[in-house]
Amino acid sequence: MKHLLSADDLTTDEIIALLGMADHMAEVNARPVPKVPALRGKTVASVFFEDSTRTRLSFETAAKRLSADTMTFSASTSSLNKGESLRDTIETLSAMRVDAFVVRHKSSGVPLQVTEWTDACVINAGDGWHQHPTQALTDAYTMTREFGTPQTLSGKTVAIVGDILHSRVARSNVSVLTKLGAKVVLVAPSTLIPASATEWPVNISHSLDDVIADVDVLYMLRMQQERMETAFVPSLGEYTKRFGLTAHRASRLAEHALVMHPGPMNRGIDMVVDPADVPGSRILKQVTNGIPVRMAVLFTLLGAGNASQLTQGTDL
Ligand code: NCD
């Protein structure tokens, strides 16, 4: 594996191997000094052309805990504002010797394009509506660890609720979760379901109330309004009435059911109930798990891929 551009490129075995590696990384994260020298001498550049809180910080933290050097490129303060092209930006950073680019962009396909301009590994940290593979791996890791089934989600039902149409997270999750054997139900108004979803290995529902009592995982999405060019629902209030997670709806969840959200949450719209009041909420756990999962991805792409390098007490 040289790049990680799409969850669709991962085989079931590769997903299971990455989740297993994430377990080793979680053990590193639990040490008093959560750091190993595995990627010493490597440089990881995060190149974000779109806003991000958790994905950027989690990749940078992951790189640092593996002892890689990090470079942070921020589009809003860069020479892009002086007319420099994306290609020249990548070639400029490459000339400083970068081993991996972590790329986020509002246009689908940019990370793939970047692979043509550099010899470094490229990791997609979210491109348009297309893909966000490390979020899906983080989510699958969170689910498999919760259910105590390290290798599989066989027989579990995951409902992904909300703005599927504009969601790269939903596309990547459908790919990863179904490869691990989960049954995925997309729950949204018909205007927010992509036309191609009829060919995905999923079921589709237009009523959260119909499915909520039967899910093992309720995966909420926000309305991604910055990716919309027109109105897809009559009003946000109407949307919340039918698809928001209210306290009443949360009370209908099975006792073992998990509630997840990739963030950012829009309180009062997709999340009406306070997640702190929902015992099954694993929303902050997803954030915590993002670090070991991204460590696993960086180590698999850049390291020797051998977990023995992570043994305790290794000299820094
Ligand atoms: C998501 C993203 O940027 O795709 N957030 C994330 O990475 N955790 C989801 C979103 O923007 O709604």
Side-chain angles (χ1 to χ4, degrees):
M1 213 197 303
K2 160 111 196 200
H3 306 294
L4 179 55
L5 301 177
S6 168
D8 293 340
D9 298 337
L10 293 170
T11 63
T12 305
D13 285 347
E14 285 170 331
I15 294 168
I16 290 171
L18 283 165
L19 301 187
M21 181 65 79
D23 260 343
H24 292 294
M25 298 301 177
E27 185 271 308
V28 169
N29 275 281
R31 295 179 193 171
V33 180
K35 198 162 176 158
V36 283
L39 294 186
R40 193 159 51 181
K42 304 283 186 190
T43 301
V44 176
S46 45
V47 185
F48 279 56
F49 297 92
E50 212 190 61
D51 298 342
S52 170
T53 301
R54 59 220 101 219
T55 305
R56 188 169 61 74
L57 292 177
S58 136
F59 264 112
E60 290 178 2
T61 306
K64 287 182 177 140
R65 291 190 180 166
L66 292 168
S67 302
D69 294 318
T70 53
M71 260 187 214
T72 307
F73 166 89
S74 211
S76 58
T77 54
S78 73
S79 290
L80 285 176
N81 297 330
K82 300 180 189 165
E84 187 159 63
S85 69
L86 177 60
R87 179 179 184 156
D88 286 330
T89 303
I90 296 297
E91 289 181 349
T92 299
L93 292 178
S94 279
M96 297 181 201
R97 212 199 114 175
V98 167
D99 297 288
F101 283 100
V102 177
V103 180
R104 170 171 285 194
H105 198 284
K106 70 173 172 20
S107 302
S108 301
V110 165
L112 173 64
Q113 181 83 67
V114 169
T115 63
E116 287 168 21
W117 300 327
T118 176
D119 291 331
C121 305
V122 178
I123 300 170
N124 182 358
D127 62 332
W129 306 2
H130 177 224
Q131 280 282 324
H132 192 352
T134 61
Q135 181 66 47
L137 290 168
T138 298
D139 299 334
Y141 182 75
T142 305
M143 293 177 206
T144 54
R145 272 27 181 196
E146 285 290 335
F147 292 129
T149 52
Q151 314 264 307
T152 173
L153 290 172
S154 180
K156 301 291 179 203
T157 299
V158 181
I160 306 180
V161 183
D163 183 4
I164 314 285
L165 181 65
H166 301 98
S167 177
R168 53 201 180 202
V169 169
R171 286 173 179 76
S172 289
N173 259 301
V174 166
S175 182
V176 169
L177 298 177
T178 55
K179 280 177 202 158
L180 293 177
K183 284 183 252 160
V184 176
V185 192
L186 306 179
V187 185
S190 51
T191 48
L192 290 173
I193 300 267
S196 60
T198 51
E199 287 149 36
W200 301 357
V202 297
N203 290 320
I204 294 173
S205 165
H206 302 305
S207 166
L208 179 53
D209 290 322
D210 282 356
V211 304
I212 197 159
D214 299 320
V215 302
D216 297 294
V217 180
L218 185 69
Y219 193 100
M220 304 299 294
L221 296 170
R222 81 187 163 96
M223 293 285 272
Q224 295 139 71
Q225 300 193 68
E226 78 284 4
R227 298 177 196 153
M228 298 181 190
E229 274 155 15
T230 171
F232 285 83
V233 288
S235 72
L236 284 179
E238 191 68 27
Y239 172 82
T240 301
K241 227 190 264 171
R242 293 182 52 208
F243 298 97
L245 185 58
T246 57
H248 174 67
R249 286 201 174 103
S251 73
R252 296 191 52 225
L253 284 162
E255 210 172 308
H256 72 276
L258 307 179
V259 173
M260 296 174 59
H261 195 307
M265 288 185 284
N266 286 165
R267 285 181 189 260
I269 303 173
D270 38 70
M271 291 297 288
V272 182
V273 65
D274 186 340
D277 296 336
V278 181
S281 171
R282 294 294 180 273
I283 296 172
L284 290 175
K285 190 77 184 160
Q286 288 169 270
V287 178
T288 305
N289 287 342
I291 294 177
V293 167
R294 290 176 174 114
M295 287 169 80
V297 168
L298 288 169
F299 184 64
T300 302
L301 295 182
L302 290 177
N306 181 350
S308 66
Q309 280 177 278
L310 307 171
T311 44
Q312 199 142 14
T314 313
D315 218 7
L316 272 175

